[in-house]
Amino acid sequence: MQPVRLVLAVQDKGYVEPLLHYIQCSEYAVIVQVTAFTRAEAFLQFMESGSRPDLVVGDTELLNAWLSAGEPSLPWIALIEGGEGKPEGDGLTVSKYQPLSRLLESWIQYVRERRGGAKMDRTEGTRIIGITSALGGCGKTTTAVNMAKQLGVMGSKVFYLNLETVNSSAVFPIGPERGGRPFSRLLYDLKAVQETGEEADVEPYILRSEALKCDVFAPNRHIGELMEMTFDDTKTLIQSISGSGRYDFIVLDSDWVAGERFQALVTESHLLWWILLDDLIGMFKSGAQLNDLERQDPDLFRNMMAKSRFIVNRYTGSLANSLPRSDMSFDGALPYIPSWKQVRQEEILLCSPIFQREILKLCGDMLGETRIMPSGSTGDAAYA
């Protein structure tokens, strides 16, 4: 989906500057492109130049000056404070002071409704993207949760499913621990329905994560129970989620040592991202694991390689080490983020516009959907 191009016309710089800073430092940097004005003459000159943004947002005084100049066909939203009156015309009004995420969502939703809906075209039902790695600490789960979040922010219905032996996504602000049944109970239900032949009902276990903009299960806290999860258990779970028809994407996050869970991930995924690191030991371990799988299960290996894409994380511009196998290709890269070197707040890992932009670009390239990736600058603003 293309970014929302909007013009912001507010006289108060003390309001505009924090808002632009928030956009540039959040996931909205890849969704919204802002041109901001605080002076009426500059705003009117820009609008008279023939510019066609998706939306004009402004305070009452500047919007009235623009609207009185003619009958603009562009949609607009007035930022209203207290009992202030609404400008004349067919526009929307929203409260000027409210949580910024809610404010921006109201703008984005208004544009999407006028475009004819936020949802991307679905040609293949639910698309399942697996994220895995032969390495620990390579940024696999950070990649997976950022992918789930960005696809959700762009308007898709997403489910994030963590199948790691130790669920590292639990360190992220997934959402409420209450409201859904525990994952251990779900494992019990999966085994029960396989004996009776009934369909698994995962609905009571689903939680909405506002932090990730997608649906999730409560993180599993019992390693022993997860290690008992079989291929059939995992396949039943994935198919129950995809068969619900509720989701455009399922993002599966699983480590190599997951055993039968990993085999199910390979079988059920439409696309499989391998996260690599450009270091000598990392490349060696990735190659060794692939070699071992090829020896143990050639059929699974061929199936896996047909849908695998190899992504180098923490990429700095060039590869210092060659890929360990001739049938591996350098399919994409995710940037090195220096500010992540020592992170004490997990939310920071979800708030890099650069990383988010590259996630969406890779998704668009590999899924063959150019509309997934915003074009142009990200969150740029101009004062006048």
mmCIF file with all atom_site columns, all heavy atoms in Angstrom, residues 311-337:
data_model
loop_
_atom_site.group_PDB
_atom_site.id
_atom_site.type_symbol
_atom_site.label_atom_id
_atom_site.label_alt_id
_atom_site.label_comp_id
_atom_site.label_asym_id
_atom_site.label_entity_id
_atom_site.label_seq_id
_atom_site.pdbx_PDB_ins_code
_atom_site.Cartn_x
_atom_site.Cartn_y
_atom_site.Cartn_z
_atom_site.occupancy
_atom_site.B_iso_or_equiv
_atom_site.pdbx_formal_charge
_atom_site.auth_seq_id
_atom_site.auth_comp_id
_atom_site.auth_asym_id
_atom_site.auth_atom_id
_atom_site.pdbx_PDB_model_num
ATOM 1   N N   . ILE A 1 311 ? 18.408 -14.076 4.026  1.00 0.00 ? 311 ILE A N   1
ATOM 2   C CA  . ILE A 1 311 ? 18.456 -12.665 4.374  1.00 0.00 ? 311 ILE A CA  1
ATOM 3   C C   . ILE A 1 311 ? 19.604 -12.431 5.350  1.00 0.00 ? 311 ILE A C   1
ATOM 4   O O   . ILE A 1 311 ? 19.677 -13.088 6.398  1.00 0.00 ? 311 ILE A O   1
ATOM 5   C CB  . ILE A 1 311 ? 17.135 -12.210 5.039  1.00 0.00 ? 311 ILE A CB  1
ATOM 6   C CG1 . ILE A 1 311 ? 15.914 -12.674 4.229  1.00 0.00 ? 311 ILE A CG1 1
ATOM 7   C CG2 . ILE A 1 311 ? 17.132 -10.705 5.242  1.00 0.00 ? 311 ILE A CG2 1
ATOM 8   C CD1 . ILE A 1 311 ? 15.865 -12.136 2.827  1.00 0.00 ? 311 ILE A CD1 1
ATOM 9   N N   . VAL A 1 312 ? 20.475 -11.522 5.010  1.00 0.00 ? 312 VAL A N   1
ATOM 10  C CA  . VAL A 1 312 ? 21.589 -11.179 5.896  1.00 0.00 ? 312 VAL A CA  1
ATOM 11  C C   . VAL A 1 312 ? 21.166 -10.034 6.796  1.00 0.00 ? 312 VAL A C   1
ATOM 12  O O   . VAL A 1 312 ? 20.827 -8.947  6.316  1.00 0.00 ? 312 VAL A O   1
ATOM 13  C CB  . VAL A 1 312 ? 22.848 -10.800 5.093  1.00 0.00 ? 312 VAL A CB  1
ATOM 14  C CG1 . VAL A 1 312 ? 23.971 -10.365 6.039  1.00 0.00 ? 312 VAL A CG1 1
ATOM 15  C CG2 . VAL A 1 312 ? 23.313 -11.979 4.242  1.00 0.00 ? 312 VAL A CG2 1
ATOM 16  N N   . ASN A 1 313 ? 21.163 -10.295 8.088  1.00 0.00 ? 313 ASN A N   1
ATOM 17  C CA  . ASN A 1 313 ? 20.810 -9.261  9.067  1.00 0.00 ? 313 ASN A CA  1
ATOM 18  C C   . ASN A 1 313 ? 22.073 -8.511  9.500  1.00 0.00 ? 313 ASN A C   1
ATOM 19  O O   . ASN A 1 313 ? 23.187 -9.012  9.374  1.00 0.00 ? 313 ASN A O   1
ATOM 20  C CB  . ASN A 1 313 ? 20.117 -9.894  10.273 1.00 0.00 ? 313 ASN A CB  1
ATOM 21  C CG  . ASN A 1 313 ? 19.435 -8.863  11.162 1.00 0.00 ? 313 ASN A CG  1
ATOM 22  O OD1 . ASN A 1 313 ? 19.143 -7.752  10.731 1.00 0.00 ? 313 ASN A OD1 1
ATOM 23  N ND2 . ASN A 1 313 ? 19.181 -9.226  12.408 1.00 0.00 ? 313 ASN A ND2 1
ATOM 24  N N   . ARG A 1 314 ? 21.874 -7.297  10.006 1.00 0.00 ? 314 ARG A N   1
ATOM 25  C CA  . ARG A 1 314 ? 22.966 -6.423  10.448 1.00 0.00 ? 314 ARG A CA  1
ATOM 26  C C   . ARG A 1 314 ? 23.968 -6.176  9.307  1.00 0.00 ? 314 ARG A C   1
ATOM 27  O O   . ARG A 1 314 ? 25.182 -6.161  9.496  1.00 0.00 ? 314 ARG A O   1
ATOM 28  C CB  . ARG A 1 314 ? 23.674 -7.018  11.670 1.00 0.00 ? 314 ARG A CB  1
ATOM 29  C CG  . ARG A 1 314 ? 22.726 -7.237  12.845 1.00 0.00 ? 314 ARG A CG  1
ATOM 30  C CD  . ARG A 1 314 ? 23.350 -8.038  13.957 1.00 0.00 ? 314 ARG A CD  1
ATOM 31  N NE  . ARG A 1 314 ? 22.329 -8.469  14.914 1.00 0.00 ? 314 ARG A NE  1
ATOM 32  C CZ  . ARG A 1 314 ? 22.500 -9.432  15.815 1.00 0.00 ? 314 ARG A CZ  1
ATOM 33  N NH1 . ARG A 1 314 ? 23.670 -10.058 15.890 1.00 0.00 ? 314 ARG A NH1 1
ATOM 34  N NH2 . ARG A 1 314 ? 21.538 -9.770  16.618 1.00 0.00 ? 314 ARG A NH2 1
ATOM 35  N N   . TYR A 1 315 ? 23.401 -5.980  8.147  1.00 0.00 ? 315 TYR A N   1
ATOM 36  C CA  . TYR A 1 315 ? 24.208 -5.780  6.930  1.00 0.00 ? 315 TYR A CA  1
ATOM 37  C C   . TYR A 1 315 ? 24.783 -4.366  6.923  1.00 0.00 ? 315 TYR A C   1
ATOM 38  O O   . TYR A 1 315 ? 24.086 -3.397  7.222  1.00 0.00 ? 315 TYR A O   1
ATOM 39  C CB  . TYR A 1 315 ? 23.312 -5.985  5.712  1.00 0.00 ? 315 TYR A CB  1
ATOM 40  C CG  . TYR A 1 315 ? 23.998 -5.903  4.380  1.00 0.00 ? 315 TYR A CG  1
ATOM 41  C CD1 . TYR A 1 315 ? 24.971 -6.822  4.015  1.00 0.00 ? 315 TYR A CD1 1
ATOM 42  C CD2 . TYR A 1 315 ? 23.643 -4.909  3.465  1.00 0.00 ? 315 TYR A CD2 1
ATOM 43  C CE1 . TYR A 1 315 ? 25.573 -6.762  2.778  1.00 0.00 ? 315 TYR A CE1 1
ATOM 44  C CE2 . TYR A 1 315 ? 24.238 -4.848  2.228  1.00 0.00 ? 315 TYR A CE2 1
ATOM 45  C CZ  . TYR A 1 315 ? 25.206 -5.769  1.886  1.00 0.00 ? 315 TYR A CZ  1
ATOM 46  O OH  . TYR A 1 315 ? 25.813 -5.701  0.652  1.00 0.00 ? 315 TYR A OH  1
ATOM 47  N N   . THR A 1 316 ? 26.054 -4.248  6.566  1.00 0.00 ? 316 THR A N   1
ATOM 48  C CA  . THR A 1 316 ? 26.733 -2.948  6.595  1.00 0.00 ? 316 THR A CA  1
ATOM 49  C C   . THR A 1 316 ? 27.136 -2.454  5.205  1.00 0.00 ? 316 THR A C   1
ATOM 50  O O   . THR A 1 316 ? 27.879 -1.482  5.097  1.00 0.00 ? 316 THR A O   1
ATOM 51  C CB  . THR A 1 316 ? 27.979 -3.017  7.480  1.00 0.00 ? 316 THR A CB  1
ATOM 52  O OG1 . THR A 1 316 ? 28.845 -4.058  7.011  1.00 0.00 ? 316 THR A OG1 1
ATOM 53  C CG2 . THR A 1 316 ? 27.596 -3.295  8.930  1.00 0.00 ? 316 THR A CG2 1
ATOM 54  N N   . GLY A 1 317 ? 26.655 -3.117  4.153  1.00 0.00 ? 317 GLY A N   1
ATOM 55  C CA  . GLY A 1 317 ? 26.918 -2.612  2.807  1.00 0.00 ? 317 GLY A CA  1
ATOM 56  C C   . GLY A 1 317 ? 27.626 -3.569  1.891  1.00 0.00 ? 317 GLY A C   1
ATOM 57  O O   . GLY A 1 317 ? 27.572 -3.426  0.668  1.00 0.00 ? 317 GLY A O   1
ATOM 58  N N   . SER A 1 318 ? 28.320 -4.552  2.427  1.00 0.00 ? 318 SER A N   1
ATOM 59  C CA  . SER A 1 318 ? 29.003 -5.550  1.600  1.00 0.00 ? 318 SER A CA  1
ATOM 60  C C   . SER A 1 318 ? 29.212 -6.813  2.432  1.00 0.00 ? 318 SER A C   1
ATOM 61  O O   . SER A 1 318 ? 29.284 -6.754  3.662  1.00 0.00 ? 318 SER A O   1
ATOM 62  C CB  . SER A 1 318 ? 30.351 -5.023  1.090  1.00 0.00 ? 318 SER A CB  1
ATOM 63  O OG  . SER A 1 318 ? 31.218 -4.744  2.179  1.00 0.00 ? 318 SER A OG  1
ATOM 64  N N   . LEU A 1 319 ? 29.294 -7.957  1.748  1.00 0.00 ? 319 LEU A N   1
ATOM 65  C CA  . LEU A 1 319 ? 29.504 -9.222  2.428  1.00 0.00 ? 319 LEU A CA  1
ATOM 66  C C   . LEU A 1 319 ? 30.991 -9.501  2.587  1.00 0.00 ? 319 LEU A C   1
ATOM 67  O O   . LEU A 1 319 ? 31.733 -9.515  1.605  1.00 0.00 ? 319 LEU A O   1
ATOM 68  C CB  . LEU A 1 319 ? 28.850 -10.369 1.650  1.00 0.00 ? 319 LEU A CB  1
ATOM 69  C CG  . LEU A 1 319 ? 27.335 -10.538 1.773  1.00 0.00 ? 319 LEU A CG  1
ATOM 70  C CD1 . LEU A 1 319 ? 26.878 -11.728 0.932  1.00 0.00 ? 319 LEU A CD1 1
ATOM 71  C CD2 . LEU A 1 319 ? 26.918 -10.714 3.221  1.00 0.00 ? 319 LEU A CD2 1
ATOM 72  N N   . ALA A 1 320 ? 31.403 -9.741  3.821  1.00 0.00 ? 320 ALA A N   1
ATOM 73  C CA  . ALA A 1 320 ? 32.800 -10.105 4.075  1.00 0.00 ? 320 ALA A CA  1
ATOM 74  C C   . ALA A 1 320 ? 33.029 -11.601 3.941  1.00 0.00 ? 320 ALA A C   1
ATOM 75  O O   . ALA A 1 320 ? 34.152 -12.047 3.708  1.00 0.00 ? 320 ALA A O   1
ATOM 76  C CB  . ALA A 1 320 ? 33.202 -9.650  5.480  1.00 0.00 ? 320 ALA A CB  1
ATOM 77  N N   . ASN A 1 321 ? 31.951 -12.384 4.078  1.00 0.00 ? 321 ASN A N   1
ATOM 78  C CA  . ASN A 1 321 ? 32.055 -13.841 4.012  1.00 0.00 ? 321 ASN A CA  1
ATOM 79  C C   . ASN A 1 321 ? 31.131 -14.369 2.922  1.00 0.00 ? 321 ASN A C   1
ATOM 80  O O   . ASN A 1 321 ? 30.013 -13.871 2.747  1.00 0.00 ? 321 ASN A O   1
ATOM 81  C CB  . ASN A 1 321 ? 31.668 -14.462 5.353  1.00 0.00 ? 321 ASN A CB  1
ATOM 82  C CG  . ASN A 1 321 ? 32.592 -14.051 6.485  1.00 0.00 ? 321 ASN A CG  1
ATOM 83  O OD1 . ASN A 1 321 ? 33.629 -14.652 6.695  1.00 0.00 ? 321 ASN A OD1 1
ATOM 84  N ND2 . ASN A 1 321 ? 32.205 -13.003 7.224  1.00 0.00 ? 321 ASN A ND2 1
ATOM 85  N N   . SER A 1 322 ? 31.592 -15.367 2.228  1.00 0.00 ? 322 SER A N   1
ATOM 86  C CA  . SER A 1 322 ? 30.762 -15.965 1.183  1.00 0.00 ? 322 SER A CA  1
ATOM 87  C C   . SER A 1 322 ? 29.740 -16.905 1.797  1.00 0.00 ? 322 SER A C   1
ATOM 88  O O   . SER A 1 322 ? 29.925 -17.429 2.907  1.00 0.00 ? 322 SER A O   1
ATOM 89  C CB  . SER A 1 322 ? 31.641 -16.737 0.197  1.00 0.00 ? 322 SER A CB  1
ATOM 90  O OG  . SER A 1 322 ? 32.372 -17.746 0.868  1.00 0.00 ? 322 SER A OG  1
ATOM 91  N N   . LEU A 1 323 ? 28.629 -17.114 1.098  1.00 0.00 ? 323 LEU A N   1
ATOM 92  C CA  . LEU A 1 323 ? 27.610 -18.043 1.556  1.00 0.00 ? 323 LEU A CA  1
ATOM 93  C C   . LEU A 1 323 ? 28.175 -19.460 1.534  1.00 0.00 ? 323 LEU A C   1
ATOM 94  O O   . LEU A 1 323 ? 28.946 -19.815 0.638  1.00 0.00 ? 323 LEU A O   1
ATOM 95  C CB  . LEU A 1 323 ? 26.367 -17.938 0.685  1.00 0.00 ? 323 LEU A CB  1
ATOM 96  C CG  . LEU A 1 323 ? 25.675 -16.568 0.686  1.00 0.00 ? 323 LEU A CG  1
ATOM 97  C CD1 . LEU A 1 323 ? 24.512 -16.547 -0.278 1.00 0.00 ? 323 LEU A CD1 1
ATOM 98  C CD2 . LEU A 1 323 ? 25.195 -16.212 2.088  1.00 0.00 ? 323 LEU A CD2 1
ATOM 99  N N   . PRO A 1 324 ? 27.807 -20.303 2.493  1.00 0.00 ? 324 PRO A N   1
ATOM 100 C CA  . PRO A 1 324 ? 28.478 -21.587 2.658  1.00 0.00 ? 324 PRO A CA  1
ATOM 101 C C   . PRO A 1 324 ? 28.099 -22.660 1.651  1.00 0.00 ? 324 PRO A C   1
ATOM 102 O O   . PRO A 1 324 ? 28.771 -23.697 1.581  1.00 0.00 ? 324 PRO A O   1
ATOM 103 C CB  . PRO A 1 324 ? 28.071 -22.009 4.077  1.00 0.00 ? 324 PRO A CB  1
ATOM 104 C CG  . PRO A 1 324 ? 26.774 -21.323 4.322  1.00 0.00 ? 324 PRO A CG  1
ATOM 105 C CD  . PRO A 1 324 ? 26.877 -20.019 3.594  1.00 0.00 ? 324 PRO A CD  1
ATOM 106 N N   . ARG A 1 325 ? 27.062 -22.451 0.877  1.00 0.00 ? 325 ARG A N   1
ATOM 107 C CA  . ARG A 1 325 ? 26.651 -23.444 -0.123 1.00 0.00 ? 325 ARG A CA  1
ATOM 108 C C   . ARG A 1 325 ? 26.390 -22.751 -1.447 1.00 0.00 ? 325 ARG A C   1
ATOM 109 O O   . ARG A 1 325 ? 25.904 -21.613 -1.485 1.00 0.00 ? 325 ARG A O   1
ATOM 110 C CB  . ARG A 1 325 ? 25.381 -24.175 0.323  1.00 0.00 ? 325 ARG A CB  1
ATOM 111 C CG  . ARG A 1 325 ? 25.533 -25.097 1.529  1.00 0.00 ? 325 ARG A CG  1
ATOM 112 C CD  . ARG A 1 325 ? 24.172 -25.680 1.913  1.00 0.00 ? 325 ARG A CD  1
ATOM 113 N NE  . ARG A 1 325 ? 23.543 -26.380 0.796  1.00 0.00 ? 325 ARG A NE  1
ATOM 114 C CZ  . ARG A 1 325 ? 23.480 -27.704 0.653  1.00 0.00 ? 325 ARG A CZ  1
ATOM 115 N NH1 . ARG A 1 325 ? 24.007 -28.493 1.586  1.00 0.00 ? 325 ARG A NH1 1
ATOM 116 N NH2 . ARG A 1 325 ? 22.876 -28.258 -0.377 1.00 0.00 ? 325 ARG A NH2 1
ATOM 117 N N   . SER A 1 326 ? 26.640 -23.463 -2.530 1.00 0.00 ? 326 SER A N   1
ATOM 118 C CA  . SER A 1 326 ? 26.461 -22.884 -3.863 1.00 0.00 ? 326 SER A CA  1
ATOM 119 C C   . SER A 1 326 ? 24.993 -22.698 -4.217 1.00 0.00 ? 326 SER A C   1
ATOM 120 O O   . SER A 1 326 ? 24.653 -21.888 -5.093 1.00 0.00 ? 326 SER A O   1
ATOM 121 C CB  . SER A 1 326 ? 27.131 -23.774 -4.918 1.00 0.00 ? 326 SER A CB  1
ATOM 122 O OG  . SER A 1 326 ? 26.556 -25.076 -4.911 1.00 0.00 ? 326 SER A OG  1
ATOM 123 N N   . ASP A 1 327 ? 24.090 -23.448 -3.541 1.00 0.00 ? 327 ASP A N   1
ATOM 124 C CA  . ASP A 1 327 ? 22.672 -23.313 -3.838 1.00 0.00 ? 327 ASP A CA  1
ATOM 125 C C   . ASP A 1 327 ? 21.992 -22.271 -2.957 1.00 0.00 ? 327 ASP A C   1
ATOM 126 O O   . ASP A 1 327 ? 20.767 -22.125 -2.989 1.00 0.00 ? 327 ASP A O   1
ATOM 127 C CB  . ASP A 1 327 ? 21.951 -24.655 -3.706 1.00 0.00 ? 327 ASP A CB  1
ATOM 128 C CG  . ASP A 1 327 ? 22.174 -25.330 -2.351 1.00 0.00 ? 327 ASP A CG  1
ATOM 129 O OD1 . ASP A 1 327 ? 22.918 -24.769 -1.529 1.00 0.00 ? 327 ASP A OD1 1
ATOM 130 O OD2 . ASP A 1 327 ? 21.615 -26.414 -2.140 1.00 0.00 ? 327 ASP A OD2 1
ATOM 131 N N   . MET A 1 328 ? 22.771 -21.548 -2.166 1.00 0.00 ? 328 MET A N   1
ATOM 132 C CA  . MET A 1 328 ? 22.235 -20.427 -1.390 1.00 0.00 ? 328 MET A CA  1
ATOM 133 C C   . MET A 1 328 ? 22.486 -19.135 -2.151 1.00 0.00 ? 328 MET A C   1
ATOM 134 O O   . MET A 1 328 ? 23.519 -18.987 -2.808 1.00 0.00 ? 328 MET A O   1
ATOM 135 C CB  . MET A 1 328 ? 22.895 -20.352 -0.013 1.00 0.00 ? 328 MET A CB  1
ATOM 136 C CG  . MET A 1 328 ? 22.601 -21.532 0.885  1.00 0.00 ? 328 MET A CG  1
ATOM 137 S SD  . MET A 1 328 ? 23.603 -21.518 2.406  1.00 0.00 ? 328 MET A SD  1
ATOM 138 C CE  . MET A 1 328 ? 22.983 -20.042 3.240  1.00 0.00 ? 328 MET A CE  1
ATOM 139 N N   . SER A 1 329 ? 21.541 -18.204 -2.059 1.00 0.00 ? 329 SER A N   1
ATOM 140 C CA  . SER A 1 329 ? 21.688 -16.922 -2.753 1.00 0.00 ? 329 SER A CA  1
ATOM 141 C C   . SER A 1 329 ? 21.493 -15.781 -1.762 1.00 0.00 ? 329 SER A C   1
ATOM 142 O O   . SER A 1 329 ? 20.795 -15.926 -0.757 1.00 0.00 ? 329 SER A O   1
ATOM 143 C CB  . SER A 1 329 ? 20.674 -16.806 -3.892 1.00 0.00 ? 329 SER A CB  1
ATOM 144 O OG  . SER A 1 329 ? 19.350 -16.979 -3.401 1.00 0.00 ? 329 SER A OG  1
ATOM 145 N N   . PHE A 1 330 ? 22.116 -14.681 -2.060 1.00 0.00 ? 330 PHE A N   1
ATOM 146 C CA  . PHE A 1 330 ? 21.972 -13.475 -1.234 1.00 0.00 ? 330 PHE A CA  1
ATOM 147 C C   . PHE A 1 330 ? 20.700 -12.767 -1.697 1.00 0.00 ? 330 PHE A C   1
ATOM 148 O O   . PHE A 1 330 ? 20.703 -12.012 -2.658 1.00 0.00 ? 330 PHE A O   1
ATOM 149 C CB  . PHE A 1 330 ? 23.205 -12.604 -1.411 1.00 0.00 ? 330 PHE A CB  1
ATOM 150 C CG  . PHE A 1 330 ? 23.177 -11.310 -0.625 1.00 0.00 ? 330 PHE A CG  1
ATOM 151 C CD1 . PHE A 1 330 ? 22.487 -11.202 0.565  1.00 0.00 ? 330 PHE A CD1 1
ATOM 152 C CD2 . PHE A 1 330 ? 23.866 -10.197 -1.089 1.00 0.00 ? 330 PHE A CD2 1
ATOM 153 C CE1 . PHE A 1 330 ? 22.460 -10.022 1.283  1.00 0.00 ? 330 PHE A CE1 1
ATOM 154 C CE2 . PHE A 1 330 ? 23.859 -9.003  -0.382 1.00 0.00 ? 330 PHE A CE2 1
ATOM 155 C CZ  . PHE A 1 330 ? 23.155 -8.919  0.798  1.00 0.00 ? 330 PHE A CZ  1
ATOM 156 N N   . ASP A 1 331 ? 19.589 -13.037 -1.002 1.00 0.00 ? 331 ASP A N   1
ATOM 157 C CA  . ASP A 1 331 ? 18.277 -12.587 -1.459 1.00 0.00 ? 331 ASP A CA  1
ATOM 158 C C   . ASP A 1 331 ? 17.837 -11.253 -0.872 1.00 0.00 ? 331 ASP A C   1
ATOM 159 O O   . ASP A 1 331 ? 16.845 -10.687 -1.322 1.00 0.00 ? 331 ASP A O   1
ATOM 160 C CB  . ASP A 1 331 ? 17.220 -13.649 -1.126 1.00 0.00 ? 331 ASP A CB  1
ATOM 161 C CG  . ASP A 1 331 ? 17.461 -14.949 -1.866 1.00 0.00 ? 331 ASP A CG  1
ATOM 162 O OD1 . ASP A 1 331 ? 17.622 -14.904 -3.090 1.00 0.00 ? 331 ASP A OD1 1
ATOM 163 O OD2 . ASP A 1 331 ? 17.506 -16.011 -1.210 1.00 0.00 ? 331 ASP A OD2 1
ATOM 164 N N   . GLY A 1 332 ? 18.524 -10.789 0.128  1.00 0.00 ? 332 GLY A N   1
ATOM 165 C CA  . GLY A 1 332 ? 18.138 -9.518  0.723  1.00 0.00 ? 332 GLY A CA  1
ATOM 166 C C   . GLY A 1 332 ? 18.931 -9.246  1.984  1.00 0.00 ? 332 GLY A C   1
ATOM 167 O O   . GLY A 1 332 ? 19.672 -10.101 2.475  1.00 0.00 ? 332 GLY A O   1
ATOM 168 N N   . ALA A 1 333 ? 18.774 -8.051  2.496  1.00 0.00 ? 333 ALA A N   1
ATOM 169 C CA  . ALA A 1 333 ? 19.530 -7.652  3.688  1.00 0.00 ? 333 ALA A CA  1
ATOM 170 C C   . ALA A 1 333 ? 18.675 -6.761  4.567  1.00 0.00 ? 333 ALA A C   1
ATOM 171 O O   . ALA A 1 333 ? 17.782 -6.045  4.092  1.00 0.00 ? 333 ALA A O   1
ATOM 172 C CB  . ALA A 1 333 ? 20.805 -6.917  3.279  1.00 0.00 ? 333 ALA A CB  1
ATOM 173 N N   . LEU A 1 334 ? 18.952 -6.835  5.851  1.00 0.00 ? 334 LEU A N   1
ATOM 174 C CA  . LEU A 1 334 ? 18.355 -5.940  6.831  1.00 0.00 ? 334 LEU A CA  1
ATOM 175 C C   . LEU A 1 334 ? 19.479 -5.158  7.499  1.00 0.00 ? 334 LEU A C   1
ATOM 176 O O   . LEU A 1 334 ? 20.529 -5.720  7.796  1.00 0.00 ? 334 LEU A O   1
ATOM 177 C CB  . LEU A 1 334 ? 17.554 -6.728  7.867  1.00 0.00 ? 334 LEU A CB  1
ATOM 178 C CG  . LEU A 1 334 ? 16.291 -7.395  7.321  1.00 0.00 ? 334 LEU A CG  1
ATOM 179 C CD1 . LEU A 1 334 ? 15.705 -8.360  8.330  1.00 0.00 ? 334 LEU A CD1 1
ATOM 180 C CD2 . LEU A 1 334 ? 15.260 -6.348  6.913  1.00 0.00 ? 334 LEU A CD2 1
ATOM 181 N N   . PRO A 1 335 ? 19.290 -3.883  7.731  1.00 0.00 ? 335 PRO A N   1
ATOM 182 C CA  . PRO A 1 335 ? 20.410 -3.019  8.120  1.00 0.00 ? 335 PRO A CA  1
ATOM 183 C C   . PRO A 1 335 ? 20.868 -3.223  9.558  1.00 0.00 ? 335 PRO A C   1
ATOM 184 O O   . PRO A 1 335 ? 20.101 -3.643  10.432 1.00 0.00 ? 335 PRO A O   1
ATOM 185 C CB  . PRO A 1 335 ? 19.852 -1.612  7.922  1.00 0.00 ? 335 PRO A CB  1
ATOM 186 C CG  . PRO A 1 335 ? 18.382 -1.772  8.152  1.00 0.00 ? 335 PRO A CG  1
ATOM 187 C CD  . PRO A 1 335 ? 18.026 -3.118  7.590  1.00 0.00 ? 335 PRO A CD  1
ATOM 188 N N   . TYR A 1 336 ? 22.105 -2.892  9.777  1.00 0.00 ? 336 TYR A N   1
ATOM 189 C CA  . TYR A 1 336 ? 22.651 -2.822  11.130 1.00 0.00 ? 336 TYR A CA  1
ATOM 190 C C   . TYR A 1 336 ? 22.145 -1.536  11.780 1.00 0.00 ? 336 TYR A C   1
ATOM 191 O O   . TYR A 1 336 ? 22.250 -0.452  11.213 1.00 0.00 ? 336 TYR A O   1
ATOM 192 C CB  . TYR A 1 336 ? 24.179 -2.820  11.072 1.00 0.00 ? 336 TYR A CB  1
ATOM 193 C CG  . TYR A 1 336 ? 24.850 -2.547  12.406 1.00 0.00 ? 336 TYR A CG  1
ATOM 194 C CD1 . TYR A 1 336 ? 24.705 -3.429  13.466 1.00 0.00 ? 336 TYR A CD1 1
ATOM 195 C CD2 . TYR A 1 336 ? 25.617 -1.393  12.589 1.00 0.00 ? 336 TYR A CD2 1
ATOM 196 C CE1 . TYR A 1 336 ? 25.325 -3.174  14.691 1.00 0.00 ? 336 TYR A CE1 1
ATOM 197 C CE2 . TYR A 1 336 ? 26.235 -1.141  13.805 1.00 0.00 ? 336 TYR A CE2 1
ATOM 198 C CZ  . TYR A 1 336 ? 26.082 -2.036  14.855 1.00 0.00 ? 336 TYR A CZ  1
ATOM 199 O OH  . TYR A 1 336 ? 26.688 -1.784  16.060 1.00 0.00 ? 336 TYR A OH  1
ATOM 200 N N   . ILE A 1 337 ? 21.546 -1.668  12.960 1.00 0.00 ? 337 ILE A N   1
ATOM 201 C CA  . ILE A 1 337 ? 21.004 -0.518  13.686 1.00 0.00 ? 337 ILE A CA  1
ATOM 202 C C   . ILE A 1 337 ? 21.887 -0.280  14.909 1.00 0.00 ? 337 ILE A C   1
ATOM 203 O O   . ILE A 1 337 ? 21.781 -1.015  15.908 1.00 0.00 ? 337 ILE A O   1
ATOM 204 C CB  . ILE A 1 337 ? 19.550 -0.760  14.120 1.00 0.00 ? 337 ILE A CB  1
ATOM 205 C CG1 . ILE A 1 337 ? 18.680 -1.208  12.933 1.00 0.00 ? 337 ILE A CG1 1
ATOM 206 C CG2 . ILE A 1 337 ? 18.978 0.493   14.762 1.00 0.00 ? 337 ILE A CG2 1
ATOM 207 C CD1 . ILE A 1 337 ? 18.555 -0.191  11.825 1.00 0.00 ? 337 ILE A CD1 1
#
